[in-house]
């Protein structure tokens, strides 16, 4: 198991460390371990989707081997679907409990999330935003990136000072996420997401992207214009970001190797 980050780093982006490594799970697990060493009782922000699954698997293996201790951590979620049937296996609470908390041997009560069954989703989103602040702040927020450059479910265009709120999912996002459902019709049309302003308040950010389908969005986010049309470009406004890419996701970066 890797204990350090020793892969290729690329330069030229203030505040952003870019690691290109075929083993995105190992490289990103090293970042999470550094965080937990520094803040064993910290708040870890969890993302859903396929990008962090390898990371959660590696952290689970380390937990099993007695080399990682998540017992002091609390968790917050990045987002949650609205409108799924109660108890759906695709709700982000179900996914995070199954894919992250179980391997980390963490009680589901330690995970704060928006409640999709709340009668007023907008009020629930605002409550959730306040509850994130009430944790004392997120120490490390894990992120993936959509093919359209979304982070969380902040679809383009999204305000950089946006708070946690109800959003409509882009059709491209619904199509991409239909792989987790029997058909695209079952993919929710709305979600509650941490806003970009909320995400940027985390002390550290860790974005993981894999595969050539993400290469355009990664290059635009890290090297294109910074603006609301490319939500992930907001990362360049944050002082402490690590981006972990496999070579396919990094392929269109102009600055590639330091
Ligand atoms: C997940 C989330 C999304 C995903 C993004 C990438 O909680 O907020 O932004 O991170 O859609 O998804 P994957 O990793 O499945 O390619």
């Amino acid at each position: 198991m890797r204990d350090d980050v020793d892969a290729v780093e690329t330069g030229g982006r203030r505040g952003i460390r870019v690691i290109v490594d075929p083993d995105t799970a190992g490289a990103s697990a090293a970042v999470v371990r550094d965080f937990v060493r520094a803040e064993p009782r910290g708040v870890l922000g969890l993302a859903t989707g396929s990008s962090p699954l390898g990371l959660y698997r590696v952290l689970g293996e380390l937990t099993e081997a007695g080399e990682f201790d998540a017992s002091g951590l609390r968790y917050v979620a990045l987002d949650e679907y609205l409108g799924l049937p109660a108890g759906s296996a695709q709700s982000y609470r179900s996914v995070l409990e199954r894919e992250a908390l179980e391997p980390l041997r963490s009680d589901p009560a330690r995970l704060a999330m928006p409640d999709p069954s709340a009668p007023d989703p907008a009020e629930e989103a605002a409550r959730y935003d306040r509850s994130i602040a009430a944790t004392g702040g997120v120490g490390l927020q894990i992120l993936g990136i959509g093919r359209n450059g979304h982070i969380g479910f902040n679809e383009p265009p999204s305000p950089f000072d946006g708070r946690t709120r109800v959003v409509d999912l882009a059709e491209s996002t619904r199509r991409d996420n239909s792989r987790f459902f029997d058909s695209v019709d079952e993919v929710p049309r709305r979600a509650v997401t941490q806003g970009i302003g909320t995400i940027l308040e985390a002390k550290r950010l860790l974005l993981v992207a894999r595969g050539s389908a993400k290469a355009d969005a990664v290059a635009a986010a890290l090297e294109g214009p910074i603006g609301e049309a490319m939500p992930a470009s907001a990362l360049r406004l944050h002082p402490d970001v690590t981006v972990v890419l496999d070579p396919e996701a990094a392929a269109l970066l102009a600055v590639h190797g330091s």
Side-chain angles (χ1 to χ4, degrees):
M1 298 284 174
R2 304 177 47 160
D3 192 39
D4 62 332
V5 173
D6 59 1
V8 182
E9 296 195 18
T10 65
R13 302 171 194 94
R14 194 168 47 98
I16 302 197
R17 182 170 60 141
V18 180
I19 299 169
V20 182
D21 190 332
D23 177 17
T24 52
S28 51
V31 175
V32 176
R33 293 181 86 184
D34 283 348
F35 160 65
V36 176
R37 269 190 212 106
E39 290 191 39
R41 305 188 66 75
V43 179
L44 181 61
L46 300 176
T48 318
S50 47
S51 304
L53 289 179
L55 162 62
Y56 300 147
R57 181 181 41 74
V58 169
L59 293 178
E61 288 165 6
L62 290 166
T63 303
E64 187 72 34
E67 292 172 32
F68 182 74
D69 178 9
S71 60
L73 294 180
R74 285 167 298 149
Y75 306 93
V76 300
L78 191 54
D79 39 25
E80 176 60 289
Y81 286 130
L82 289 174
L84 284 176
S88 165
Q90 292 312 325
S91 80
Y92 279 1
R93 175 167 279 284
S94 306
V95 173
L96 289 176
E97 288 185 2
R98 197 167 59 233
E99 305 290 350
L101 300 187
E102 222 170 89
L104 290 172
R105 298 189 188 157
S106 294
D107 187 331
R110 288 175 169 269
L111 170 64
M113 294 202 68
D115 175 2
S117 69
D120 181 343
E123 172 46 37
E124 173 60 9
R127 181 207 62 78
Y128 181 56
D129 199 86
R130 291 191 298 273
S131 79
I132 294 172
T135 63
V138 178
L140 175 68
Q141 176 64 56
I142 298 165
L143 301 166
I145 182 171
R147 280 190 305 134
N148 63 0
H150 72 210
I151 48 174
F153 280 133
N154 294 284
E155 308 282 23
S158 277
F160 282 7
D161 59 358
R163 307 305 307 179
T164 304
R165 67 200 187 291
V166 176
V167 291
D168 293 325
L169 299 185
E171 280 312 305
S172 62
T173 300
R174 294 186 64 241
R175 273 197 307 280
D176 287 346
N177 289 5
S178 66
R179 68 192 191 280
F180 298 111
F181 294 83
D182 288 337
S183 83
V184 71
D185 300 329
E186 289 178 19
V187 183
R189 296 182 179 279
R190 295 194 310 158
V192 172
T193 185
Q194 285 191 35
I196 294 178
T198 315
I199 292 170
L200 292 178
E201 284 171 5
K203 270 188 254 171
R204 306 170 192 80
L205 301 175
L206 167 62
L207 182 134
V208 183
R210 296 174 49 79
S212 55
K214 300 294 176 69
D216 274 315
V218 165
L222 298 186
E223 295 178 344
I226 297 177
E228 299 185 352
M230 179 43 63
S233 66
L235 299 188
R236 282 148 71 197
L237 305 178
H238 191 284
D240 189 343
V241 182
T242 305
V243 175
V244 176
L245 307 170
D246 69 2
E248 292 76 17
L252 298 179
L253 288 175
V255 181
H256 195 280
S258 38

